[in-house]
Amino acid sequence: MTRQSPVTVHDKADPDTVAIRWLGHAVQLLDQRRLPAEEHWLTIEGAAGVAQAIRDMAVRGAPAIGISAAYGVALSARCADESDWQQEVRTAIDQLAESRPTAVNLFWALQRMRGVLDQCQSRTDAVSRLAETAVTIHREDLAANIAMADLAVDAMELKKPCSVLTHCNTGALATGGYGTALGVVRKLHQERLLKRVYADETRPWLQGARLTAWELARDRIPVTLNADGAAAAILAKGDVKWVIVGADRIAANGDVANKIGTYGLAVLARHHKVKFMVVAPASTVDMSVASGRDIPIEERAGDEICQFGGIRVAPEKVDAFNPVFDVTPADLIDLIVTERGVVHTPEMTGMHQLFE
Ligand SMILES: CSC[C@H]1O[C@H](OP(=O)(O)O)[C@H](O)[C@@H]1O
């Protein structure tokens, strides 16, 4: 099979920090388990490989998971047998849906791809239309991130540069490019409204230490890496005016599921009168769940917290609890920014004014 050049999805994001490349016959994923030490690309030609990459967090980040899964569905049509292509693609969709439970972007993307599949009359038709839809989902996410950054910076109404604190990684590596919360950081920097970003290392997977610090250093954005436990002392100093984070699923009432540790940050922010902003595309809003109580929270292997950099640091056989998301109640959030607009949660009752 001839190797095709990457399909141009981006015209704004820095191609160096994009984590997903569509080749037409395969999808390339920058293996985020190996960053920052090594930039290694996985070339995957089937849905099962994409599902494995999501499960193993070679690709992670709610929007990036949805985009990768969409490419996985497109690849399943290319690989399907002529005699049973519809069932084979449906099976691939089901496989991808089982890869991780919390980021609703995954299920949003799969539902959209399923809708296209149901309209296809032949495998050839499915191959081209599913690929086009996956590329569109990718491009839409990038466009949403750029739009959200503009909306967020306007909503912050900054009169002078300020420092912010962020958690996990919400940059180009976690999305279709540019980033959600880190997209706002990029915009603040571009507008000369950013003093410094404090980046939580984000135990246990270290998305902050390994990915956010890597992205911001490459963009020459002033970043200070801090232990998760140092966030309280940093907010107490008074230099940080905003905590800006992403999301994996936003419930109808505005409760937000995000990386473990986000809820604690929101409590700290409220205590220290620091504004708390969530930035997430519409594909992260799940109006089918009434509140955060209904959001499935992924628990990963306890071993992930018993080791550090591949070296075991806890005694053998110790019990470990490793939920990788938590839920921040809407009343601790000052702003939720989507590409459809900004929700001011303390005054507003959830997402209804922007989503039905
Ligand atoms: C814009 S990424 C959203 C979200 O995804 C991350 O989780 P993970 O690294 O486990 O996929 C984190 O919660 C980010 O805030």
Side-chain angles (χ1 to χ4, degrees):
M1 184 173 286
T2 54
R3 179 184 174 82
Q4 300 174 18
S5 59
V7 171
T8 305
V9 172
H10 304 87
D11 49 15
K12 288 184 186 290
D14 174 355
D16 285 350
T17 59
V18 168
I20 307 167
R21 291 184 191 145
W22 177 239
L23 301 184
H25 70 284
V27 62
Q28 287 188 316
L29 303 175
L30 183 56
D31 189 342
Q32 300 187 36
R33 297 170 296 183
R34 300 188 185 205
L35 289 174
E38 190 188 347
E39 294 181 31
H40 174 75
W41 289 87
L42 302 172
T43 300
I44 300 171
E45 298 188 354
V50 174
Q52 189 70 45
I54 294 170
R55 214 171 8 254
D56 296 346
M57 294 178 68
V59 60
R60 34 62 55 196
I65 289 171
I67 294 163
S68 303
Y71 284 130
V73 176
L75 291 170
S76 71
R78 285 181 63 87
C79 302
D81 189 279
E82 200 61 51
S83 62
D84 198 21
W85 60 273
Q86 283 163 317
Q87 187 49 51
E88 286 188 38
V89 177
R90 289 191 186 110
T91 301
I93 289 173
D94 293 343
Q95 260 186 347
L96 287 158
E98 289 170 4
S99 53
R100 290 185 79 185
T102 303
V104 71
N105 313 62
L106 170 63
F107 309 100
W108 170 85
L110 292 174
Q111 185 178 349
R112 185 163 165 183
M113 297 300 280
R114 177 66 189 265
V116 171
L117 172 69
D118 291 346
Q119 297 166 21
C120 294
Q121 302 304 315
S122 68
R123 190 184 75 85
T124 308
D125 186 29
V127 168
S128 59
R129 291 179 67 180
L130 290 172
E132 284 161 17
T133 305
V135 169
T136 300
I137 287 172
H138 194 165
R139 287 186 170 133
E140 285 174 353
D141 186 71
L142 171 62
N145 292 340
I146 290 164
M148 290 190 292
D150 290 343
L151 287 168
V153 171
D154 289 347
M156 293 169 80
E157 297 180 336
L158 294 176
K159 300 290 182 287
K160 60 182 181 179
C162 78
S163 292
V164 304
L165 182 139
T166 193
H167 193 65
C168 197
N169 172 260
T170 59
L173 293 172
T175 65
Y178 199 65
T180 57
L182 278 199
V184 177
V185 163
R186 289 189 159 104
K187 182 71 178 176
L188 287 170
H189 180 67
Q190 179 191 323
E191 300 295 321
R192 300 186 189 286
L193 287 171
L194 183 73
K195 276 168 66 176
R196 176 160 296 277
V197 185
Y198 290 90
D200 284 352
E201 62 177 345
T202 315
R203 288 266 304 145
W205 217 75
L206 303 177
Q207 291 91 332
R210 297 188 303 106
L211 307 179
T212 293
W214 180 78
E215 280 201 47
L216 296 184
R218 285 164 71 99
D219 284 7
R220 301 192 193 299
I221 293 174
V223 56
T224 297
L225 182 61
N226 59 265
D228 298 328
I234 291 167
L235 296 191
K237 278 176 19 180
D239 180 36
V240 168
K241 302 301 179 198
W242 284 85
V243 172
I244 309 177
V245 298
D248 292 83
R249 193 179 305 216
I250 302 174
N253 73 340
D255 291 348
V256 169
N258 195 50
K259 183 52 51 201
I260 190 77
T262 303
Y263 173 36
L265 271 182
V267 173
L268 287 170
R270 186 53 54 88
H271 177 74
H272 291 290
K273 297 182 176 49
V274 172
K275 292 282 191 183
F276 195 87
M277 177 195 299
V278 173
V279 186
S283 54
T284 312
V285 176
D286 184 355
M287 296 302 284
S288 74
V289 289
S291 76
R293 279 192 303 275
D294 306 320
I295 299 175
I297 298 298
E298 179 184 5
E299 279 188 44
R300 294 182 70 91
D303 272 359
E304 288 186 358
I305 57 175
C306 291
Q307 56 84 32
F308 191 93
I311 298 168
R312 188 167 181 89
V313 292
E316 296 298 335
K317 294 191 177 49
V318 69
D319 288 342
F321 176 47
N322 184 22
V324 293
F325 299 105
D326 59 22
V327 174
T328 299
D331 62 7
L332 288 178
I333 302 168
D334 293 287
L335 296 183
I336 296 180
V337 180
T338 78
E339 69 275 30
R340 293 192 192 180
V342 180
V343 173
H344 299 262
T345 48
E347 300 83 45
M348 311 295 275
T349 53
M351 307 305 289
H352 299 282
Q353 66 272 16
L354 291 176
F355 297 84
E356 273 322 318

